[in-house]
Amino acid sequence: MSETLVQTRFRVTGMDCGACAAKIDTAMRRMPGIADVAVSYPTESLTVSHDGSVENEAVVRQVQQLGFVAAPASAEGDGKATQFPEQKWWQASKTQATLACGLALIVAYAVGHLFPQTERVAFILALLVGLVPVARRAFTAARFGTPFSIEMLMTVAAVGAVIIGATEEAAAVVFLFLIGEMLEGLAASRARNSIAALADLVPKSALVEENGETREVLADQLQPGAVILVRPGDRIAADGQVVEGTGEVDEAPVTGESVPKMKTVKDPVFAGTINTTGVLRVNVTATAADNTIARIVKLVEEAQEAKAPTERFIDRFSKIYTPFVVVLAALVAVVPPLLFGGDWSEWIYKGLALLLIGCPCALVISTPAAVAASLASGARRGLLMKGGAVLEGLRDLTAVAFDKTGTLTEGKPKVTDVIAFSRSRGAVLSITAALERGSSHPLALAILDAAKSENVPVPPAFMAEAVAGEGISGNVGGEMVFFGSPKAAASRATIDTERQKTIDALNSEGKTVSVLVVKGEAIGLVALRDEPRADARKGLAKLAALGIRAVMLTGDNRRTAEAIGGDLGIEVRAELLPQDKQRIVRELQGDGSKVGKVGDGINDAPALAAADVGIAMGGGTDVALETADAAVLHGRVSDVADLVALSRSTMRNIYTNITIALGLKAVFLVTTVLGITGLWPAILADTGATVIVTANAMLLLRWKPA
């Protein structure tokens, strides 16, 4: 075997549960040259690592022999994903097999009624219509290493029933089995479609502007740097930045945010969102393969492949459970007749019924179906989790540590106070904005935004220059003005005791204060602060209602941090370096807490890595999607509580599913041995439980935050 392994990915259709994936996994590992295999039924994918000697056609044949349809995930040379023809539910092979068996059963009943002497033959023929494809899959799976498949149990039970004379019942049981498989496939398809629908949000084409002309191009051909025209009502075809125009954009398809956001020059926009007003010109910043929607879909698909601890336990348990029930069924069939003189037909019948009860399908699907539905539901609301283990871990959080800047706060300062000592408030803001025009400093941008929102005129400033460590000076309206720190202003003008008290009070609230001096006189001041997010208090209250402690960890100065923390009612740890944040997370864990860390994924990286669950908050950035275990795309504090609530709802759903799957089997196992129930209830215990747990899991697709 060569040292370098070749990895090839295939798309496989027809997988409905973990048992299907397990059969493919086992069969693939038996092929010469294959070193490793990864199969995921939620994403319909098969990845094989081999020594280069394995042909794609050989892998496809192996999969198809098991009753599934496979094709390489990318066609030779073109790099485009292989597409299977889209099918309606009634076109699926399992649906057609079910309908054929049902029709054959109806005909058998009619023939048996009209010609009683042919009844047995008629039901055997009806049985064969449904059983032959099932038996073929059973023996193929056995040949490739999976002897205890549901198809094999079904085949043995049906043939055994015919031998002891229960032909009509055998045919009906096969029909019920096929109905269960069909419903299982429909439910699995629905979960997949919920993610596929997200990818379909991106329009197929876009209007590109070049050299003053507009032309239509395919969205997947857009490259960074292109400028696209987005008209009112259009979906935005790519991630980008507004370069011209103003309009409201509905981001609900990506972030779940119900209120459209106003977008103007330099604001980011996401592929799949809808421009509701105005004409926007957008500079493309990401290719189709790397836009926000594509990365969300990829993240959810990868997450579905990462099994939760509960799912891994169920997989191990089912490998023991099924052989155990098969041995039990054999003992029930032969021990009473051999040792206690029981009736052979009666006890063989009971043993066959136990075989059907032994199928682990409902149990195996109980966890992944719920996890897949939960991941899809969360993704549609901007709540992303990297796998079942993260989803399960969120349930156990007892403490959440928040970064301050950009997490609990907006991440950019805003003007909170404009106070005039002399002249008017508008004049103070107007002169200050004039000095700051042209600056890209966050404080300057905040002042300019305030002037714009209040429609304050901004006159030209001459000879404007920064005074290192103090502020900025210049000539506005023929007057020499200075705008800077109170200390620097005090060296240029008199600041009396009353005004100093005002400055100190604003400082105690965590605000940055700058004083405006005109011709040697302090005429006013402007205070700014990075304000809490609009929903920060509400989000922290939701966490408290869930019994979760919240702590703020910030590198900001203690006065500012405590002012924000006091407003929000959160415990504060300030003036921290990145390693200090990590240390505090470890201390919380040492006290027995399960800790979640919420931050921007950059300076919080050590703490995010140390936490039991790292949660990135952002607007679809690479950091938000790739750094932590989970991400909230809206940048809402309340979404952190929603992540925990979704996790807890999912785990309750999983435990309900497991209880249904095992409970029904336990009941019918006892009633079968006691002779109360037979083959029909036995198959219903399997297919019925599978349908019930799948339907219950699909309820998570309708989950909404409280």
Side-chain angles (χ1 to χ4, degrees):
M1 182 179 290
S2 61
E3 292 183 3
T4 303
L5 294 176
V6 177
Q7 192 174 81
T8 312
R9 189 176 174 91
F10 298 82
R11 184 181 169 194
V12 181
T13 60
M15 293 189 290
D16 302 326
C17 67
C20 299
K23 278 186 280 191
I24 295 174
D25 185 286
T26 303
M28 288 297 104
R29 291 182 187 279
R30 291 194 161 206
M31 290 183 65
I34 289 185
D36 196 18
V37 179
V39 189
S40 171
Y41 90 86
T43 59
E44 298 186 302
S45 66
L46 161 66
T47 304
V48 295
S49 299
H50 55 90
D51 60 7
S53 65
V54 180
E55 297 290 336
N56 287 353
E57 292 76 10
V59 173
V60 169
R61 282 196 303 272
Q62 189 91 324
V63 172
Q64 289 177 337
Q65 287 185 83
L66 293 169
F68 306 100
V69 179
S74 59
E76 277 298 314
D78 63 8
K80 296 180 180 178
T82 298
Q83 297 293 324
F84 289 98
E86 288 191 14
Q87 289 185 327
K88 302 296 183 182
W89 69 270
W90 61 83
Q91 295 174 318
S93 59
K94 289 185 177 180
T95 303
Q96 293 180 348
T98 304
L99 295 175
C101 185
L103 181 61
L105 198 57
I106 293 171
V107 171
Y109 273 112
V111 169
H113 180 72
L114 296 173
F115 309 100
Q117 68 276 15
T118 64
E119 182 180 55
R120 179 176 171 81
V121 174
F123 278 111
I124 288 176
L125 292 175
L127 169 69
L128 291 174
V129 170
L131 188 61
V132 167
V134 173
R136 185 184 299 119
R137 298 206 311 266
F139 287 109
T140 302
R143 185 158 60 93
F144 292 135
T146 309
F148 296 112
S149 65
I150 175 58
E151 290 86 358
M152 181 61 77
L153 301 183
M154 186 71 247
T155 301
V156 172
V159 172
V162 170
I163 292 172
I164 63 173
T167 308
E168 178 182 344
E169 195 170 359
V173 164
V174 170
F175 178 55
L176 288 173
F177 169 73
L178 293 175
I179 289 176
E181 278 207 320
M182 179 186 71
L183 294 176
E184 194 177 302
L186 289 174
S189 177
R190 182 182 173 190
R192 293 188 190 105
N193 290 343
S194 66
I195 292 298
L198 193 60
D200 291 339
L201 291 174
V202 181
K204 303 300 181 187
S205 61
L207 295 174
V208 174
E209 287 194 341
E210 290 180 340
N211 302 321
E213 296 183 355
T214 303
R215 63 186 179 91
E216 187 172 1
V217 301
L218 294 176
D220 59 10
Q221 295 179 355
L222 290 173
Q223 295 297 318
V227 175
I228 58 175
L229 178 69
V230 186
R231 301 163 300 190
D234 285 354
R235 283 191 183 272
I236 299 173
D239 283 5
Q241 187 178 59
V242 178
V243 293
E244 184 181 325
T246 300
E248 290 189 332
V249 174
D250 179 4
E251 296 185 341
V254 175
T255 68
E257 179 62 62
S258 58
V259 180
K261 286 188 176 180
M262 181 61 70
K263 300 288 184 177
T264 187
V265 177
K266 294 187 179 180
D267 286 340
V269 292
F270 308 129
T273 57
I274 305 166
N275 178 27
T276 60
T277 60
V279 176
L280 299 178
R281 285 174 173 79
V282 175
N283 180 46
V284 176
T285 57
T287 63
D290 198 39
N291 66 37
T292 300
I293 292 285
R295 284 183 284 134
I296 290 174
V297 171
K298 182 181 179 184
L299 186 67
V300 175
E301 287 181 345
E302 290 174 350
Q304 288 178 337
E305 294 176 10
K307 293 184 177 181
T310 302
E311 184 178 353
R312 291 195 294 269
F313 170 76
I314 292 296
D315 284 348
R316 293 194 299 270
F317 176 76
S318 64
K319 290 178 181 178
I320 301 169
Y321 165 80
T322 306
F324 168 77
V325 175
V326 170
V327 171
L328 179 63
L331 292 175
V332 166
V334 301
V335 170
L338 283 176
L339 300 183
F340 306 106
D343 180 70
W344 278 99
S345 293
E346 176 189 350
W347 287 99
I348 288 175
Y349 181 87
K350 290 179 179 179
L352 294 175
L354 284 180
L355 273 184
L356 298 180
I357 293 172
C359 172
C361 275
L363 184 62
V364 170
I365 203 174
S366 60
T367 300
V371 169
S374 181
L375 291 172
S377 185
R380 292 207 306 269
R381 291 168 176 80
L383 310 176
L384 303 183
M385 294 154 283
K386 294 185 177 179
V390 175
L391 180 60
E392 195 165 326
L394 283 162
R395 171 199 57 173
D396 299 323
L397 294 184
T398 56
V400 174
F402 288 90
D403 180 35
K404 180 182 78 70
T405 306
T407 301
L408 288 173
T409 66
E410 294 287 353
K412 54 184 179 181
K414 291 183 178 179
V415 172
T416 58
D417 305 86
V418 178
I419 298 175
F421 300 147
S422 60
R423 303 196 186 182
S424 67
R425 180 183 182 281
V428 172
L429 186 56
S430 177
I431 295 170
T432 303
L435 281 176
E436 298 289 7
R437 176 186 278 172
S439 173
S440 60
H441 191 280
L443 297 180
L445 296 176
I447 290 169
L448 290 167
D449 284 344
K452 182 179 179 181
S453 65
E454 295 187 24
N455 294 316
V456 171
V458 182
F462 301 95
M463 299 182 293
E465 62 178 355
V467 181
E470 295 186 351
I472 186 170
S473 65
N475 186 306
V476 179
E479 297 178 313
M480 291 303 298
V481 298
F482 170 82
F483 182 64
S485 68
K487 181 179 179 181
S491 67
R492 292 169 170 81
T494 300
I495 299 178
D496 60 30
T497 304
E498 197 62 33
R499 292 172 180 176
Q500 187 60 50
K501 286 181 179 179
T502 301
I503 293 170
D504 292 342
L506 292 171
N507 280 331
S508 68
E509 295 173 7
K511 297 175 181 178
T512 299
V513 179
S514 297
V515 178
L516 179 63
V517 177
V518 178
K519 294 195 299 185
E521 177 191 359
I523 69 165
L525 62 80
V526 177
L528 302 96
R529 189 173 75 169
D530 181 10
E531 291 292 272
R533 291 182 181 272
D535 78 318
R537 183 180 290 276
K538 173 186 170 186
L540 294 174
K542 288 176 73 172
L543 278 174
L546 293 171
I548 297 174
R549 172 188 178 188
V551 183
M552 179 200 293
L553 306 182
T554 178
D556 211 342
N557 68 77
R558 185 169 303 280
R559 184 176 60 187
T560 300
E562 289 181 348
I564 295 290
D567 286 349
L568 298 178
I570 185 175
E571 180 182 342
V572 175
R573 308 282 185 89
E575 299 177 355
L576 303 174
L577 296 173
Q579 57 267 34
D580 296 323
K581 297 180 182 180
Q582 183 187 47
R583 173 181 51 79
I584 292 171
V585 167
R586 295 290 192 202
E587 288 174 357
L588 290 170
Q589 291 170 327
D591 293 337
S593 296
K594 293 289 185 180
V595 183
K597 176 66 176 74
V598 187
D600 61 12
I602 302 173
N603 60 359
D604 291 302
L608 284 168
D612 294 284
V613 180
I615 303 169
M617 182 177 285
T621 63
D622 288 339
V623 167
L625 289 175
E626 295 167 14
T627 302
D629 302 309
V632 291
L633 294 188
H634 322 95
R636 293 195 310 207
V637 178
S638 57
D639 284 349
V640 178
D642 291 340
L643 273 174
V644 177
L646 176 57
S647 169
R648 293 182 180 180
S649 294
T650 303
M651 295 312 298
R652 285 195 298 269
N653 187 288
I654 288 171
Y655 292 149
T656 300
N657 284 347
I658 293 172
T659 301
I660 291 170
L662 289 179
L664 279 176
K665 289 182 182 297
V667 168
F668 282 105
L669 188 148
V670 173
T671 57
T672 297
V673 173
L674 294 177
I676 299 171
T677 56
L679 289 177
W680 285 46
I683 192 64
L684 286 174
D686 174 61
T687 58
T690 300
V691 172
I692 290 170
V693 301
T694 305
N696 186 49
M698 292 304 102
L699 292 177
L700 288 168
L701 289 173
R702 290 190 271 173
W703 177 88
K704 293 181 180 179

